[in-house]
């Protein structure tokens, strides 16, 4: 079995949605297409497709393998093109993984500007707050928000991510304003549950570093959901400024505890290796820093 050919046929079947359509597009028999996919499944010792009389669907293993096939086939196409005159021209499928709230709020204009400069690149974005395995799941790169990046990945720092404690004026008028981190124990705090340190907020102030255990009647694994609750006057949030920067600038939310600093994170572009970096990945990584400023655009409230 020619593995590369089998991968090409498998991805064509997935894209076409049927063995018959894939066979027509490839100008080979349906039986040949079915046989090669069956041989691929036998070689991998796993089922890639669920077959029924009406449609095909990917199994979980098939979804992961399909992503890797797309990456491998794209790399092969780019490797071949590098032997020609267009070796440095970015093209093909660029798969990017991005945190949900950041992607929803800030990624679209970046992608639009990039594609205007590189129209031959097809950008596919998956929004998830889960830390994906880039190689295993077939992503070219990811944007990640963290205090540090694992040594197994190459990281390029793009921007500072500030964490801000804030509440709506309506909440403060009703419940008062905390003057120190310890006062948060007497307030309804809206807690972000993604991660390991749920209900613990860190500050640094006149007396050094302090970790406060907070509590409240609303928790969520999505920052925008907590933001909306805070805007409605439901409680106090501790959120990244890229999410609430416009609310701070407009006065819809007010900064709390200004004498106490919160830990800063950073936005990184991460990718598996510096070696043999394709033109599409290199061009996107080089493009991003030019679109960022320090402070970043979402921190316009700091100038007020």
């Amino acid at each position: 079995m020619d593995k590369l050919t089998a991968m090409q046929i498998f991805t064509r079947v997935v894209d076409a949605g049927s063995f018959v359509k894939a066979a027509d597009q490839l100008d080979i028999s349906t039986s040949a297409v079915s046989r090669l996919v069956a041989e691929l499944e036998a070689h991998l010792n796993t089922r890639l497709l669920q077959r029924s009389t009406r449609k095909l669907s990917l199994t979980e293993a098939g979804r992961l393998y399909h992503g890797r096939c797309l990456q491998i086939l794209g790399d092969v196409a780019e490797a071949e093109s590098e032997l020609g005159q267009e070796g440095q021209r970015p093209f093909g499928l660029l798969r990017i993984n991005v945190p949900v709230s950041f992607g929803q709020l800030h990624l679209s204009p970046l992608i639009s500007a990039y594609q205007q400069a590189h129209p031959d690149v097809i950008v596919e974005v998956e929004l998830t707050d889960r830390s994906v395995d880039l190689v295993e799941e077939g992503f070219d790169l990811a944007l990640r928000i963290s205090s540090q990046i694992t040594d197994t990945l190459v990281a390029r720092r793009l921007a500072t991510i500030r964490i801000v404690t804030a509440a709506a004026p309506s909440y403060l008028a009703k419940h008062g304003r905390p003057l120190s981190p310890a006062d948060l124990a007497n307030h309804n705090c809206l807690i972000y549950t993604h991660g390991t340190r749920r209900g613990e907020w860190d500050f640094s102030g006149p007396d050094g570093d302090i970790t406060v255990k907070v509590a409240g009647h609303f928790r969520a694994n999505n920052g925008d959901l907590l933001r909306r609750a805070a805007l409605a006057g439901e409680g106090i949030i501790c959120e990244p400024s890229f999410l609430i920067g416009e609310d701070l600038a407009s006065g819809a939310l007010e900064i709390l505890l200004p004498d106490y600093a919160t830990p800063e994170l950073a936005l990184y572009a991460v990718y598996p290796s510096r070696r043999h970096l394709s033109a599409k990945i290199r061009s996107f990584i080089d493009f991003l820093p030019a679109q960022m400023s320090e402070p970043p655009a979402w921190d316009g409230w700091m100038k007020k």
Side-chain angles (χ1 to χ4, degrees):
M1 178 186 64
D2 184 328
K3 292 182 185 177
L4 194 60
T5 299
M7 287 180 182
Q8 291 170 330
I9 289 177
F10 168 63
T11 57
R12 186 62 64 95
V13 169
V14 173
D15 294 341
S18 78
F19 288 100
V20 174
K21 290 180 181 179
D24 288 341
Q25 293 172 9
L26 295 166
D27 196 25
I28 60 177
S29 69
T30 303
S31 61
V33 171
S34 180
R35 176 178 54 79
L36 277 168
V37 172
E39 289 179 0
L40 184 61
E41 289 180 320
H43 171 73
L44 297 171
N45 195 29
T46 188
R47 181 176 291 278
L48 301 174
L49 294 167
Q50 296 286 8
R51 301 157 175 83
S52 72
T53 56
R54 293 187 175 183
K55 67 176 184 178
L56 295 174
S57 61
L58 285 167
T59 63
E60 179 62 19
R63 185 184 67 80
L64 296 174
Y65 189 68
H66 180 251
R68 292 292 289 126
C69 285
L70 291 175
Q71 184 181 47
I72 290 168
L73 293 173
D75 289 344
V76 169
E78 287 183 313
E80 291 175 346
S81 75
E82 288 177 358
L83 301 178
Q85 295 181 351
E86 295 187 343
Q88 299 305 311
R89 177 177 63 87
F91 77 99
L93 178 65
L94 180 66
R95 299 191 72 232
I96 307 172
N97 172 256
V98 183
V100 175
S101 294
F102 184 86
Q104 291 173 329
L105 291 171
H106 301 290
L107 193 62
S108 182
L110 293 176
I111 297 297
S112 296
Y114 173 78
Q115 290 192 302
Q116 287 179 12
H118 304 289
D120 293 326
V121 177
I122 301 169
V123 179
E124 178 182 308
V125 176
E126 179 173 309
L127 299 180
T128 177
D129 292 326
R130 177 174 59 89
S131 183
V132 302
D133 185 315
L134 297 184
V135 175
E136 180 72 21
E137 300 185 40
F139 289 101
D140 295 298
L141 73 151
L143 299 186
R144 289 190 178 165
I145 296 170
S146 180
S147 58
Q148 60 183 8
I149 299 297
T150 174
D151 292 339
T152 60
L153 295 172
V154 181
R156 183 161 183 176
R157 192 180 189 280
L158 300 175
T160 299
I161 302 294
R162 293 170 177 82
I163 306 301
V164 181
T165 308
S170 60
Y171 176 87
L172 299 175
K174 186 175 181 179
H175 300 282
R177 182 184 297 268
L179 301 179
S180 72
D183 292 341
L184 293 172
N186 301 315
H187 286 269
N188 186 51
C189 295
L190 309 176
I191 299 171
Y192 182 60
T193 59
H194 183 75
T196 58
R197 304 189 67 227
R198 304 179 183 188
E200 292 185 346
W201 292 358
D202 296 324
F203 299 90
S204 179
D207 298 323
D209 296 337
I210 180 174
T211 296
V212 179
K213 291 187 179 296
V214 296
H217 62 225
F218 184 39
R219 300 182 174 208
N221 68 346
N222 178 267
D224 190 55
L225 197 60
L226 297 174
R227 165 186 169 267
R228 293 174 187 273
L231 288 170
E234 294 296 319
I236 295 175
I237 55 174
C238 191
E239 294 277 8
S241 59
F242 74 76
L243 185 63
I244 61 173
E246 291 187 2
D247 303 319
L248 296 172
S250 69
L253 293 176
E254 295 184 13
I255 297 175
L256 304 178
L257 307 174
D259 295 330
Y260 294 85
T262 50
E264 288 187 352
L265 306 177
L267 175 68
Y268 295 94
V270 300
Y271 47 102
S273 175
R274 298 182 191 275
R275 297 185 59 194
H276 309 302
L277 205 60
S278 68
K280 64 185 179 184
I281 301 175
R282 183 172 58 251
S283 64
F284 192 75
I285 292 170
D286 290 342
F287 170 83
L288 287 175
Q291 307 302 309
M292 302 287 180
S293 59
E294 197 60 60
W298 53 78
D299 278 342
W301 55 273
M302 296 177 62
K303 302 175 183 177
K304 291 184 174 291

